[in-house]
């Protein structure tokens, strides 16, 4: 039997749209074996009532992509999906299914595909590299596509900071959150984002945190997606009030992430109190960086 543990990811980090991502310590686990002649899928945990258990299951269809490339046809597959990553909240649940399925299929077939071949397949399946790359390699990554090739740099998590995720109780699909984006943005907004992305990466690499409030600002996607997230302004206000160094939309949302100083021990309780007045329920939790991917 093959067992794959794949981390959740938070993408964009504000201005690094479709480029930056961080693996965090919330995991989906896939246990899979070739068995019998049929497909049997059991889902435990997040999404257990909504995730399909047939051929359309994303983990299974991602496994098929690897089987197709290596020319393998298993008779039957039996798998259990133990999910901790909330579905459709901007925490890379789809990327985790894609990467987890591909890594599992590669292991079942004798590791015939290398890292870059898996990355290429995973990016083709997810459409952008900012979730699948950190899900596969861990850490914080900057990634881009050069034709079909996926180029990436993995960075160590910056010292002295930690992350808090703020997850509302409703789902938002990436498709829906991309539909609200404009086809073009003004050059001044592009410059705004490029400069902040550069400062953000430079700050992380040099261990500086004093510019993160500015470095996590964005004009490419967040202003358009803001209307999809109730209490956006309140959460930014309270997070800043209780010491967040920067706040950003996690991937395409609806979860938000706050960057905190390691010593900030009161943030979670204070934010829990602040969001308790909201109509929808928000889960506020501390997460750690995940240094290794699937
Ligand atoms: N970069 C993607 C987006 C991430 O923001 O649409 C999707 O999780």
């Amino acid at each position: 039997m093959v067992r794959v543990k794949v981390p959740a990811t938070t993408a964009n980090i504000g201005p690094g749209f479709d480029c930056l991502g961080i693996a965090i310590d919330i995991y989906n686990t896939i246990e899979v074996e070739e068995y019998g002649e049929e497909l049997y899928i059991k889902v435990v945990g997040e999404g257990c009532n909504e995730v399909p258990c047939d051929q359309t299951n994303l983990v299974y269809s991602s496994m098929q992509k690897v089987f197709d490339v290596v020319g393998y046809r298993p008779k039957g597959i039996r798998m259990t999906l133990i999910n901790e990553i909330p579905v459709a909240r901007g925490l890379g649940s789809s990327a985790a299914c894609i990467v987890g399925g591909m890594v599992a299929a590669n292991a079942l077939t004798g590791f015939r595909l290398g890292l870059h071949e898996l990355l290429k397949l995973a990016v083709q399946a997810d459409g952008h590299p900012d979730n699948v790359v950190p899900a596969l390699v861990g850490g914080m990554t900057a990634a881009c596509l050069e034709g079909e090739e996926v180029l990436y740099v993995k960075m160590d998590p910056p010292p002295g900071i930690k992350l808090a995720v703020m997850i509302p109780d409703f789902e938002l699909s990436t498709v829906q959150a991309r539909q609200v984006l404009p086809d073009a943005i003004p050059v001044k907004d592009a410059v705004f984002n490029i400069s902040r992305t550069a400062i953000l990466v430079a700050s992380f690499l040099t261990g500086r945190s004093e510019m993160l409030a500015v470095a996590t600002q964005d004009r490419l996607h967040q202003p358009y997606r803001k209307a999809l997230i109730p209490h956006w302004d309140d959460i930014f206000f309270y997070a800043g009030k209780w010491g967040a160094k920067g706040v950003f939309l996690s991937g395409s949302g609806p979860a938000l992430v706050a960057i905190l100083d390691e010593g900030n021990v009161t943030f979670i309780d204070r934010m829990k109190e602040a969001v308790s007045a909201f109509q929808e329920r928000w889960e506020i939790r501390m997460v750690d960086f995940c240094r290794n991917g699937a």
Side-chain angles (χ1 to χ4, degrees), residues 199-221:
I199 297 280
L200 180 62
V201 172
S203 293
F204 278 156
L205 288 178
T206 55
R208 291 174 62 174
S209 63
E210 75 273 20
M211 284 178 277
L212 290 179
V214 172
T216 47
Q217 290 171 344
D218 163 78
R219 283 196 188 157
L220 207 159
H221 66 110

Side-chain angles (χ1 to χ4, degrees), residues 11-12 17-19 90 92 128 130-131 174 177-178 181 221 225 250-253:
N12 300 329
F17 183 74
D18 278 2
C19 167
H128 36 82
D130 47 342
N131 289 110
T174 298
R178 287 179 93 89
L181 304 183
H221 66 110
R225 289 171 162 172
S250 185
S252 57

Side-chain angles (χ1 to χ4, degrees), residues 162-166 239 244-248 256-260 267:
K162 55 188 183 178
L163 303 176
V165 289
M166 301 172 276
K245 310 291 275 180
V247 186
F248 57 88
L256 296 156
V257 174
I259 305 176
L260 305 176
F267 182 86

